[in-house]
Amino acid sequence: MQAWQVHELGEPGEVMRLAHVERPTPGEGQVLLRVRAANINFPDALMCRGQYQVRPPLPFTPGVEICGETEDGRRVIANPALPHGGFAEYAVAGGVGSAAVQLGKAAGATVIGVAGGADKAAAARELGCDVVIDRREQDVVAAVKEATGGRGADVVFDPVGGEAYTQSAKTVAFEGRIVVVGFASGAIPSPALNHALIKNYAILGLHWGLYNTKNPKLVQHCHEQLTELAARGAIKPLVSERVPLSGAADAVQRVADGVTTGRVAVVPAAENGAAA
C-alpha cells in the first residue's frame, strides 16, 4: 500500500515522504481499516515537527483522524493507532465510532467568530456566526466588548494561544471560561493568575485525546449525540477541500501555515478518480 512516512522531524512539506509499505497488522483489540478520508489537523503538523505531546517513533505516518471502512463494510470514524496514521491507504484503530460530524451552534447562544483574513471571515458568516471579527483588520477586544454590551464573552474557545490568549483574557466576562485547546500560533502563553483572580474567570485545558484513556464512554456518548445532530441536519461540517493521497504533504503544510479555511480532507480513492 501507499503511505506517507516521516523519517526525520521538520516541516511537513519537507519531511513527509510517500512510500510503498506493508499494510499494518492489527494488534489485540484493533481492526484494519481502509482509509476513505483523513482529516488534516494542526497536531499532524506539530507531530512532524516533534512539537506535539504525542511523539510516535520514527518512521511514522501522520494522520490522527479518519473515516474508514472495516473489512465487513462498516463505515466508521477512528483515531488511528500511531505510528500507523491516516495518511495512507490502510490504518489500524481500536474503539471506532459510527459517523463523522463537527460541533455546531449552541441553542440560544450568541456566537462570535474571530477570523484571520477576509476569506475566513466570509466563511464564518456563511456558517452562521452572529458576529464575525477579522483580527487582521479590527481591534478584537473592542469589537467583542461592543458586541456584548461591555460584558465580554462567557466562553472563549482558544486553539491559537500567543496574542490570541492575551485577547481572550481581556474579553472574557466575569465568571466566564477560557477553554485552552491548543497553540496554533506556536507561542504557549503564561497566564497571569492574578488577573484570573480579580476577574473571577476559569482557565480550562482541553486535551480531547486523553478522554480515550480516562473516560472512553464519554467519547462514545458525544459521538452518538453529534451523529444524531448531523443526521437531522442540525450541524454540517465545512469541508473546503479534498485532495488525493499524493497531495497530503502539501496540504498538511498549508494547514500548518494557516492558509486554509475549514476542513481539508485527504481522500485516497480520489487518486483513481473514485468517490469516497
Side-chain angles (χ1 to χ4, degrees):
M1 72 167 190
Q2 284 193 311
W4 285 92
Q5 290 194 319
V6 174
H7 287 265
E8 59 182 359
L9 302 178
E11 287 300 304
E14 298 174 359
V15 300
M16 288 178 62
R17 296 287 182 269
L18 190 59
H20 287 276
V21 299
E22 295 294 324
R23 290 184 186 179
T25 301
E28 185 177 353
Q30 295 179 333
V31 294
L32 179 68
L33 297 174
R34 176 193 172 202
V35 179
R36 300 189 65 90
N39 176 52
I40 298 175
N41 292 272
F42 194 72
D44 294 316
L46 293 178
M47 207 174 294
C48 289
R49 296 168 176 165
Q51 297 175 345
Y52 194 53
Q53 55 260 39
V54 177
R55 298 187 180 185
L58 298 170
F60 68 87
T61 297
V64 298
E65 181 183 10
I66 67 170
C67 295
E69 185 175 328
T70 63
E71 293 180 282
D72 59 3
R74 291 179 295 124
R75 290 193 176 189
V76 299
I77 61 171
N79 299 114
L82 299 172
H84 304 293
F87 300 146
E89 293 179 302
Y90 288 87
V92 293
V96 296
S98 59
V101 293
Q102 185 178 11
L103 290 174
K105 179 177 177 179
T110 298
V111 178
I112 302 175
V114 179
D119 291 343
K120 294 186 178 184
R125 293 188 187 95
E126 291 175 5
L127 289 173
C129 281
D130 300 296
V131 178
V132 177
I133 301 168
D134 186 345
R135 61 182 173 83
R136 295 181 180 175
E137 301 291 336
Q138 297 172 263
D139 183 326
V140 174
V141 176
V144 171
K145 289 185 176 180
E146 180 181 357
T148 60
R151 172 182 170 79
D154 292 304
V155 180
V156 180
F157 183 85
D158 183 9
V160 179
E163 177 59 25
Y165 178 83
T166 301
Q167 295 169 341
S168 298
K170 291 180 179 179
T171 57
V172 68
F174 171 75
E175 293 190 336
R177 288 172 289 169
I178 300 174
V179 183
V180 179
V181 184
F183 312 105
S185 67
I188 300 176
S190 298
L193 297 184
N194 61 323
H195 188 260
L197 174 66
I198 63 173
K199 203 172 177 181
N200 281 31
Y201 61 83
I203 305 168
L204 304 178
L206 177 58
H207 178 190
W208 182 90
L210 198 58
Y211 283 96
N212 284 317
T213 301
K214 299 293 186 180
N215 193 349
K217 290 184 178 179
L218 182 59
V219 175
Q220 183 62 32
H221 175 66
C222 290
H223 278 312
E224 290 170 356
Q225 290 187 312
L226 291 170
T227 299
E228 191 277 329
L229 289 171
R232 59 184 171 88
I235 56 176
K236 184 178 180 181
L238 170 62
V239 181
S240 59
E241 188 178 353
R242 294 173 175 83
V243 300
L245 185 59
S246 61
D250 175 69
V252 175
Q253 187 64 59
R254 287 188 286 113
V255 170
D257 294 340
V259 296
T260 60
T261 300
R263 293 293 196 180
V264 178
V266 177
V267 185
E271 207 73 57
N272 301 317

